[in-house]
Amino acid sequence: MSSTTSSTMSGTTKSSVRRPAVLLLASALTGGALAAGSLTTTASAASGPLRADIVKTATIEKNNPTHNREKPKGCNFYSGYWKTSGDNICSTSTGGVKWRSNNWCADFARYVWKKSDAKTKKIDPWAGSFYRAAKAGTGTWHKRGSYVPKPGDVVLYEWGPGKPTLGTNGWDIDHVGVVVKYRKSGKKLTTIEGNTTKTSSGNGREGVYQRDRHNTERGDVVGYVSPEKR
């Protein structure tokens, strides 16, 4: 879904890799020195490789033109990968995957986690399922303001109006993305997201894009779910 319009799910029946960034991330996650204003957080030794793999996978998808753009009627590769997400009304197939029609931000994020060997149990096509799955033991939930985002996390947004909230058990969540970088200065959040547009204007073809966001209330961030190795 785009940054300007959405439903409360990312899965309802409708109804050249950037090597310098990846290398910097790998250095950060393995304890390498960081310049001021660069990645501000590092994971533990156990989770560092998983986080690096998630960012690498998301970056590869961002740069893969064979299946990272939505076709008419919401047809997309990532919902097709999960086979039961959305509607079976699409004619496109890629690499043995028959595309399906759905809002697909959560389908993209859980695809990235799965391909990186993170747990995805209980995550479904609904954006808020990342929160519900974390409460059931798949990953760890962190409320915005109580946590410094880390690469590999999934960020949860709620577009409002008003203060962004989870609603009842996460059912207000409108959109999710994969965190690839965070700078404390200005609370600048860099993500790779599916079912979004290239810019905040909302114009253009929906697809997988890198977005610049902010870890703030005005940035519509509710919180984060950290991944866990399968």
Side-chain angles (χ1 to χ4, degrees):
M1 62 196 68
S2 72
S3 62
T4 54
T5 59
S6 62
S7 65
T8 58
M9 57 186 157
S10 178
T12 179
T13 300
K14 287 187 182 176
S15 343
S16 142
V17 173
R18 297 181 59 181
R19 296 181 62 85
V22 173
L23 291 173
L24 174 60
L25 173 71
S27 173
L29 292 176
T30 55
L34 292 175
S38 62
L39 291 175
T40 58
T41 62
T42 60
S44 67
S47 61
L50 173 60
R51 292 180 177 278
D53 284 347
I54 290 169
V55 173
K56 180 179 179 181
T57 301
T59 303
I60 289 171
E61 291 304 306
K62 176 178 70 72
N63 294 322
N64 186 346
T66 66
H67 62 238
N68 66 6
R69 295 292 183 269
E70 183 180 285
K71 293 186 180 295
K73 299 182 180 179
C75 292
N76 73 93
F77 168 84
Y78 302 97
S79 294
Y81 173 84
W82 296 103
K83 296 183 179 179
T84 59
S85 177
D87 289 336
N88 185 22
I89 62 171
C90 308
S91 59
T92 302
S93 292
T94 304
V97 173
K98 189 177 186 299
W99 294 27
R100 292 178 70 92
S101 172
N102 214 347
N103 292 324
W104 51 278
C105 62
D107 284 340
F108 169 74
R110 64 176 174 150
Y111 173 91
V112 169
W113 270 19
K114 183 173 182 179
K115 290 296 184 179
S116 306
D117 208 26
K119 290 182 179 180
T120 56
K121 186 177 180 180
K122 296 188 180 297
I123 301 172
D124 58 40
W126 296 77
S129 69
F130 277 88
Y131 170 77
R132 293 185 288 276
K135 290 299 184 181
T138 298
T140 305
W141 164 249
H142 308 277
K143 184 178 179 181
R144 177 185 51 79
S146 65
Y147 174 72
V148 178
K150 298 178 176 63
D153 289 343
V154 165
V155 54
L156 280 64
Y157 306 98
E158 195 265 316
W159 303 136
K163 183 177 179 180
T165 68
L166 285 165
T168 302
N169 204 26
W171 286 103
D172 278 0
I173 297 302
D174 292 313
H175 186 62
V176 294
V178 178
V179 176
V180 297
K181 184 167 62 175
Y182 182 64
R183 298 177 188 271
K184 261 186 178 177
S185 176
K187 297 185 177 180
K188 295 179 180 178
L189 190 66
T190 303
T191 61
I192 294 176
E193 303 173 10
N195 204 179
T196 191
T197 49
K198 190 172 183 179
T199 66
S200 59
S201 67
N203 295 323
R205 188 177 176 188
E206 298 272 334
V208 177
Y209 292 104
Q210 182 169 301
R211 298 296 306 267
D212 294 320
R213 307 279 196 179
H214 287 84
N215 179 34
T216 61
E217 180 178 323
R218 290 192 64 183
D220 297 311
V221 171
V222 179
Y224 301 84
V225 177
S226 294
E228 183 178 353
K229 186 79 171 177
R230 266 206 311 265

